[in-house]
Amino acid sequence: MQVVLLGPPGVGKGTQGRRLAGERGWALVSTGDMLRDAIAKLTPLGDAAKKLMDKGLLVPDDVMIGLVRERTLEPDAREGFVLDGFPRTVPQADALDAILRERSRPVDRVVALTAPDEELVRRLSARWECPVCRRVYNTLSAPSKDGRHCDDHPETELIQRVDDTVQTVQRRLEVYRAQTAPLVDYYRVQGRLVEVNGAVSSESVYGALVAAVDC
Ligand code: AP5
Ligand code: MG
């Protein structure tokens, strides 16, 4: 099964996508994590992406489409995948449909998570992540066991994302409204969208997400 998670920064795409993919045996395809891994490895892609990501701007469509085209062919994506952070523009959504049509594997569900901006800003200012596995924590709602290290990598100190500063979060929200929010209507008019309230507890969001995926 192929599931797209849509929604603004901080709404919980990574948190929910990781759990859903893990429980179903699907791949989590997080384009943000792929770019952060490329930055950590000092690749040319990472170098180019970093300049845009640090400002809260999107990486060009053709680059992202190429990455997703390849990633979704990997063996762990054979049974299905959850897309977190892709598509983010109408050209990306059109390309995704074309790629999957070639493979006779449609997008089965598009789930849009929603939450008010104040909640998104509050979450992102308290987010920490593991630089090894990219698992996210939150000092307010989901701290790691000791508050400093990843539960799955006890030697690894958690870090904050460079783009989680108040100023860059505001820019990311503007970019979301201008370039990604139109996808909500794009999928709604096609009858492919399910909206889920992302402003409740992680557990409640997950229950609603599973119901949306299994409906
Ligand atoms: P990306 O990494 O995708 O960032 P984003 O979309 O801004 O989303 P976030 O990762 O910030 O939030 P999330 O929804 O995953 O929330 P999370 O689960 O972490 O993209 C980063 C950059 O990469 C982009 O700006 C762009 O430059 C580039 N990029 C990526 N994809 C691209 C594409 N397709 N095209 C072009 N450029 C691209 O949760 C947030 C926090 O809240 C965590 O601390 C979590 O613990 C906590 N939390 C989660 N759920 C709850 C809850 N229900 N209650 C309380 N706390 C919660
Ligand atoms: Mg994320």
Side-chain angles (χ1 to χ4, degrees):
M1 193 165 182
Q2 287 69 242
V3 176
V4 167
L5 291 183
L6 267 185
V11 77
K13 302 181 297 296
T15 303
Q16 301 297 337
R18 176 175 287 256
R19 182 168 172 191
L20 181 67
E23 289 188 4
R24 299 288 166 109
W26 300 335
L28 174 65
V29 178
S30 163
T31 45
D33 286 351
M34 288 162 75
L35 294 171
R36 282 182 286 279
D37 287 342
I39 291 171
K41 288 182 189 141
L42 305 172
T43 67
L45 164 69
D47 192 40
K50 181 170 169 42
K51 295 186 177 82
L52 295 162
M53 290 171 76
D54 285 358
K55 292 186 202 146
L57 302 175
L58 296 186
V59 173
D61 286 337
D62 56 338
V63 175
M64 300 312 302
I65 291 164
L67 280 181
V68 168
R69 183 191 295 277
E70 295 302 312
R71 175 66 185 89
T72 51
L73 283 174
E74 286 178 25
D76 66 336
R78 206 171 287 140
E79 295 299 316
F81 51 83
V82 179
L83 282 168
D84 155 19
F86 186 97
R88 232 169 170 108
T89 63
V90 170
Q92 290 184 18
D94 287 338
L96 178 64
D97 275 345
I99 291 167
L100 294 184
R101 204 178 308 120
E102 278 167 21
R103 300 177 192 167
S104 303
R105 283 180 79 172
V107 171
D108 297 291
R109 293 283 181 283
V110 179
V111 180
L113 300 174
T114 59
D117 282 5
E118 314 82 74
E119 173 67 9
L120 303 174
V121 172
R122 201 173 65 89
R123 288 183 188 178
L124 293 178
S125 60
R127 171 167 63 185
W128 291 78
E129 74 169 24
C130 173
V132 174
C133 66
R134 304 283 167 209
R135 179 171 167 185
V136 295
Y137 297 89
N138 192 285
T139 49
L140 302 172
S141 60
S144 72
K145 284 189 188 126
D146 73 359
R148 271 188 58 203
H149 299 87
C150 178
D151 294 348
D152 300 326
H153 299 91
E155 307 293 304
T156 305
E157 288 210 23
L158 302 177
I159 56 169
Q160 283 193 291
R161 271 171 48 179
V162 182
D163 60 349
D164 275 349
T165 60
V166 174
Q167 203 183 5
T168 310
V169 166
Q170 290 302 338
R171 172 64 74 85
R172 286 159 62 202
L173 287 170
E174 286 163 20
V175 168
Y176 174 79
R177 277 189 284 273
Q179 295 183 259
T180 308
L183 290 181
V184 174
D185 274 341
Y186 173 101
Y187 285 118
R188 187 185 285 125
V189 297
Q190 296 177 6
R192 295 204 270 168
L193 188 82
V194 185
E195 281 181 278
V196 164
N197 179 10
V200 290
S201 72
S202 268
E203 207 52 41
S204 305
V205 177
Y206 189 68
L209 171 62
V210 166
V213 166
D214 290 339
C215 70

